[in-house]
Amino acid sequence: MSYHGGVVIIASWNVNSIRARLEHVTTWLKSRQPDVLLLQELKGTEFPADAFRDLGYEAVAVTQKAYNGVAILSRSPIKTVSTALMGDEADSHARFLETEVNHIRIVNIYLPNGNPPGSENFAYKLAWMDRLERRMRAWRTSEIPVLIGGDFNVIPEDIDCHKPASWIHDALFQPEPRGRFRTMLGLGYTDAFRTLHPTEAGQFTFWDYFRQAFSHNRGIRIDHFLLSPPLAVKLVSCVIDKGPRALEKPSDHTPIVVELDL
DNA sequence: ATGTCAGTCGTAGACTGA
């Protein structure tokens, strides 16, 4: 499939263990047939590349034991550009994968959660965002268009959670990460979902497992696609597919799907 | 503080992270 003159579908899904969610992911791939799927929270060193190859997807995965882990599946060849976020040689978390697929820079991120606020985890999150911002500045000057997708672990605005009061003590809602997210938009990147649905409340990508959060739609929008200007003008649709969150044994996140007419 | 789920270590259930 060529991206020239066609519609490309790119999806992102934090699966909370690829081993526990393999059936969900393969079933979803067969029904939705995205060109590219970004996965986060693989949670283990084993990655079932064969299962995806059988469905026509090439895969590149960055994994570690027990935690984190990101992968990109694609029906077109993937050129791996970087498997780590520049700026801290000591950072060994599997949270970043930069690739080139059909002349688009596709970057998959699993941004640190950072809870609780004020902790070492929180400082790591902010530093990680600063490092990402530096890359995003650098990418602006290159020819190739950029899509950054994944679990940002940031609730951008009050409209992106069911009730701000219940998130004010959470790292995902603090002014510092939210400010950094706004800075990224200020660099010229477009939040694909919010741009197409500027006032739509109750649109979430994550719901806690506790207290029937999903059935009450008490969630947050933390999985995002950011597009550089040449891709933003080709944005056709961006939707959240709540289907997989309603299945038995779901991930706490559900897929977000963006459509670009290139 | 609570709630639930997945992985680890190591064979039960406490622990960590989310």
Side-chain angles (χ1 to χ4, degrees):
Chain A
M1 158 161 333
S2 168
Y3 284 9
H4 300 287
V7 171
V8 178
I9 297 170
I10 300 171
S12 177
W13 192 0
N14 176 321
V15 291
N16 186 18
S17 166
I18 190 59
R19 181 163 66 190
R21 229 64 65 197
L22 184 58
E23 290 295 318
H24 283 30
V25 176
T26 54
T27 301
W28 190 82
L29 277 174
K30 284 182 222 169
S31 73
R32 298 296 296 252
Q33 312 235 322
D35 297 286
V36 177
L37 175 60
L38 315 182
L39 298 170
Q40 303 86 31
E41 267 207 281
L42 305 175
K43 282 191 163 179
T45 51
E46 302 288 319
F47 185 77
D50 294 346
F52 299 123
R53 197 177 304 114
D54 292 346
L55 297 175
Y57 290 89
E58 188 176 313
V60 176
V62 182
T63 65
Q64 70 181 83
K65 187 158 93 176
Y67 305 118
N68 308 318
V70 290
I72 297 181
L73 312 182
S74 169
R75 315 181 86 151
S76 297
I78 305 168
K79 179 182 155 197
T80 302
V81 176
S82 177
T83 58
L85 177 58
M86 215 177 276
D88 183 358
E89 299 304 312
D91 181 5
S92 58
H93 289 200
R95 296 182 175 277
F96 180 91
L97 177 56
E98 178 183 350
T99 63
E100 239 182 82
V101 180
N102 280 10
H103 310 295
I104 302 175
R105 189 191 309 274
I106 294 185
V107 183
N108 183 8
I109 66 167
Y110 175 43
L111 207 146
N113 174 298
N115 270 305
S119 66
E120 211 170 287
N121 282 353
F122 191 67
Y124 172 64
K125 175 180 198 153
L126 299 183
W128 206 96
M129 293 188 82
D130 290 340
R131 287 158 60 199
L132 178 62
E133 184 197 315
R134 245 164 262 144
R135 299 318 308 148
M136 291 174 74
R137 286 181 185 277
W139 293 329
R140 288 190 305 176
T141 60
S142 77
E143 292 293 313
I144 179 167
V146 191
L147 173 147
I148 303 133
D151 179 357
F152 282 67
N153 269 318
V154 177
I155 303 165
E157 303 293 337
D158 289 5
I159 192 178
D160 296 310
C161 64
H162 73 281
K163 194 172 75 175
S166 41
W167 292 95
I168 50 169
H169 300 301
D170 196 286
L172 283 58
F173 201 65
Q174 295 310 298
E176 297 92 336
R178 294 173 80 183
R180 281 163 174 78
F181 188 86
R182 280 200 204 100
T183 298
M184 293 172 189
L185 302 182
L187 295 177
Y189 291 89
T190 293
D191 176 340
F193 181 86
R194 191 49 78 200
T195 294
L196 292 174
H197 307 98
T199 60
E200 210 173 313
Q203 290 292 322
F204 308 129
T205 63
F206 168 96
W207 299 260
D208 262 317
Y209 286 124
F210 339 123
R211 293 177 288 181
Q212 302 161 338
F214 181 66
S215 60
H216 294 108
N217 198 30
R218 295 195 279 250
I220 52 180
R221 190 176 71 91
I222 57 174
D223 298 271
H224 308 299
F225 285 114
L226 298 187
L227 309 176
S228 72
L231 282 187
V233 296
K234 300 178 187 300
L235 177 58
V236 173
S237 76
C238 187
V239 297
I240 296 160
D241 181 1
K242 287 176 77 171
R245 187 61 179 79
L247 300 174
E248 288 295 307
K249 287 278 186 185
S251 169
D252 38 9
H253 296 247
T254 213
I256 177 169
V257 185
V258 69
E259 225 179 339
L260 306 167
D261 191 354
L262 300 174

